[in-house]
Amino acid sequence: MSKKVIWLDRDLVKNPLYLGVCKNEKAFTREMKRLNIKKNNRPAFILNRADATVHYFEKENKVSAIVCLDESSKKCRTKAEIMGLITHEAVHVWQEIKSHIREQLPSPEFEAYSIQMIAQRIYEAYNG
């Protein structure tokens, strides 16, 4: 019999995507190699002059999302700007989750809590 409280996952719905955060191009390249993404199929770390990008990969029916936000942005952007970029990418992740679970009309609260949770986790990983 356990003498400790067993804390459970707080997610309302199990995220069908594996979600990662990448803070520099070197780590992104290393992860592409680990995922066995061939060089000619690898996307750029950050796409088309964007300040942040989310990439999706599917392998063996598992979908991964990697949010890329260069940590050097901390030097030239305010915390509010970085949180805006993270929130923007979190919405894209949420859109992919909705598509993956075939949810067309989530309730406004479910959508807001989902985006909040995704953004918060990305922010924590980016600043951790």
Side-chain angles (χ1 to χ4, degrees), residues 7-13 116-117 120-121:
W7 292 99
L8 306 177
D9 193 347
R10 293 180 56 208
D11 291 345
L12 295 174
V13 176
Q116 176 185 344
M117 182 265 310
Q120 184 174 326
R121 290 198 173 149

Side-chain angles (χ1 to χ4, degrees), residues 13 26 42 66 69 77-78 84 89 93 103-104 127-128:
V13 176
K26 186 176 180 181
R42 290 180 193 163
I66 300 177
L69 179 64
R77 299 215 173 268
T78 66
E89 298 308 324
V93 171
E103 178 63 59
Q104 294 179 1
N127 287 300

